[in-house]
């Protein structure tokens, strides 16, 4: 059942070209220049007239939500807030019948997300679900939704479900933006063409980074802390990279927006602090270059994720992982792949049970 892989997690990491393809299948019709999503189409007016969209989720799904915020605000120009379901439900949030709530959940069974949805519905909000498990509790109580179609995810640490959540959120943001006029046809066509090419790029990055990341991981088996940095769309990707590492390797890791480093975390940096920095060409590259120099000046050990052919960041970093270029909005999908592999191999070398980390459950049905 593990298809020749040592763990479900590795199998699921390698399934991503297919799972992303499955998420796009029947929805992204590049030749016709359309995105077909019944759940969005049927409620297009309500969605596009929303004064605010609130995304609720937990854990990895919450990280996907943060990227969803950037996507929807950039392309559809609708204000988005992202909340932990567990905070949202206990703080009497301002939600009315004009609100849209998007709930994201791989399992579709997370207790806090479920309770938050019930509360939002009682306040009259329209609730849209993004679930992976078909016919799960959340998919049944939401007013409409889209499945991620990533296939069953067995490893407790979420991998392919995350990249499929990002793919669905990209589709939704582009479709809303196209229909509400904020996205030009030309820009829309350019972005959907790129989206269509993602499975191929994910395959490329798996092939080109797998062995290399496995080697890099050996150098960090004894680390006690890790810092993950990224800007813009890759800030949530940094959070997710850190979560993966702490869940399965039990190494303490934190994600930060790179520019926040100087407001505190920089105090932690010395030769014992490994720093993973996501630094694609777009998205304020020059700023990232100076972040990397600041880290190096304090002797931090840098693992840099850069686009192919990068020289500036690469010349300062201790370890370099190259990934293919995309528009900034899709770069977290690509950058997440080597980060998953890095967490996986560090955990494997430390002898951890990667598929079933201690104290964690695949669906958190307790509050
Ligand atoms: C991380 C992880 C958890 C889940 C969280 C939400 O790898 O697995 O953080 O993402 O418990 O679960 P779902 O998406 O099923 O609601």
């Amino acid at each position: 059942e593990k298809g020749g892989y040592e763990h479900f997690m590795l199998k699921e990491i390698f399934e991503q070209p297919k799972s992303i393809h499955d998420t796009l299948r029947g929805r992204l019709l590049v030749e016709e220049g359309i995105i077909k999503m019944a759940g969005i189409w049927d409620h297009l007016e309500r969605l596009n007239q929303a004064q605010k969209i609130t995304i609720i989720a937990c854990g990895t799904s919450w990280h996907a939500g943060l990227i969803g915020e950037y996507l929807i605000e950039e392309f559809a120009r609708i204000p988005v807030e992202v909340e932990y379901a567990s905070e949202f439900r206990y703080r009497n949030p301002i939600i009315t019948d004009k609100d849209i709530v998007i709930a994201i959940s791989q399992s579709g069974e997370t207790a806090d997300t479920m309770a938050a949805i019930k509360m939002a519905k009682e306040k009259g909000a329209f609730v849209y679900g993004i679930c992976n498990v078909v016919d799960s509790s959340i998919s049944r109580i939401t007013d409409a939704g889209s499945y991620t179609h990533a296939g069953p995810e067995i490893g407790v640490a979420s991998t392919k479900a995350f990249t499929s959540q990002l793919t669905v959120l990209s589709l939704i943001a582009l479709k809303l933006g196209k229909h509400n006029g904020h996205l030009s046809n030309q820009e829309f066509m350019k972005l959907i063409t790129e989206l269509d090419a993602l499975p191929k790029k994910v395959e490329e990055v798996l092939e080109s980074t797998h062995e290399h990341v496995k080697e890099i991981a050996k150098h960090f088996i004894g680390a006690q802390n890790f810092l993950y940095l990224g800007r813009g769309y890759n800030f949530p990707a940094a959070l997710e990279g850190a979560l993966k590492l702490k869940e399965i390797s039990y190494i303490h890791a934190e994600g930060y927006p790179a520019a926040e480093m100087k407001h505190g975390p920089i105090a932690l940096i010395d030769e014992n602090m490994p720093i993973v920095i996501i630094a694609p060409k777009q998205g304020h590259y020059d700023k990232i270059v100076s972040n990397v120099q600041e880290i190096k000046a304090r002797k931090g050990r840098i693992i840099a994720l850069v686009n192919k052919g990068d020289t500036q960041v690469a010349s300062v970093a201790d370890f370099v992982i190259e990934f293919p270029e995309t528009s900034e909005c899709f770069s977290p999908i690509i950058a997440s792949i080597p980060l998953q592999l890095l967490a996986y191999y560090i955990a494997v070398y430390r002898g951890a049970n990667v598929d079933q980390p201690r104290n964690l459950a695949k669906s958190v049905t307790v509050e």
Side-chain angles (χ1 to χ4, degrees), residues 58-61 104-108 110 113 156-158 165 240 243-244 247 362-364:
C58 305
T60 290
S61 299
I104 308 176
S105 175
Q106 186 286 128
S107 63
T110 301
T113 310
V156 163
S158 186
Q165 287 166 344
E240 174 59 11
L243 178 62
K244 284 292 85 89
E247 281 184 290
K362 187 64 186 162
S363 55
V364 183

Side-chain angles (χ1 to χ4, degrees), residues 91-291:
R91 66 172 192 87
N92 192 18
I94 303 166
I95 294 286
T96 69
D97 58 7
K98 290 190 178 60
D99 275 283
I100 304 289
V101 169
I102 299 180
I104 308 176
S105 175
Q106 186 286 128
S107 63
E109 303 296 341
T110 301
D112 281 319
T113 310
M114 192 65 184
I117 293 168
K118 286 185 184 153
M119 194 185 76
K121 283 186 77 171
E122 273 162 29
K123 290 175 180 286
F126 178 83
V127 184
Y128 198 92
I130 298 177
C131 294
N132 192 44
V133 177
V134 175
D135 213 29
S136 52
S137 305
I138 291 175
S139 65
R140 278 185 272 117
I141 62 160
T142 41
D143 298 300
S146 303
Y147 284 117
T148 40
H149 295 308
E153 193 180 63
I154 312 291
V156 163
S158 186
T159 52
K160 64 174 180 169
F162 175 66
T163 47
S164 281
Q165 287 166 344
L166 299 184
T167 306
V168 165
L169 287 161
S170 303
L171 288 168
I172 292 174
L174 296 179
K175 186 166 176 68
L176 292 178
K178 181 184 168 153
H179 290 292
N180 71 16
H182 283 292
L183 196 56
S184 73
N185 205 47
Q186 195 190 355
E187 183 75 350
F188 177 81
M189 285 309 296
K190 175 182 166 279
L191 290 163
I192 64 170
T193 306
E194 271 196 51
L195 202 47
D196 193 47
L198 277 181
K200 191 99 211 69
K201 286 198 175 162
V202 167
E203 193 164 342
E204 240 177 271
V205 82
L206 277 166
E207 273 170 29
S208 64
T209 65
H210 180 214
E211 289 304 323
H212 181 47
V213 172
K214 194 170 166 179
E215 281 306 307
I216 295 174
K218 287 185 185 154
H219 296 262
F220 295 94
I221 305 169
Q224 289 183 332
N225 294 287
F226 251 93
L227 209 53
Y228 284 69
L229 304 175
R231 301 179 85 101
Y233 281 95
N234 284 303
F235 154 51
L239 295 179
E240 174 59 11
L243 178 62
K244 284 292 85 89
L245 186 72
K246 64 187 130 185
E247 281 184 290
I248 61 171
S249 75
Y250 316 136
I251 295 172
H252 167 245
E254 275 190 83
Y256 256 96
E260 275 292 306
M261 198 178 63
K262 58 185 171 295
H263 299 286
I266 197 163
L268 293 168
I269 298 176
D270 62 16
E271 63 278 12
N272 297 316
M273 178 63 92
I275 290 131
V276 176
I277 186 151
I278 312 169
K281 273 275 148 53
Q282 335 80 343
H284 307 287
Y285 178 76
D286 51 324
K287 291 280 181 349
I288 285 268
V289 172
S290 50
N291 293 145

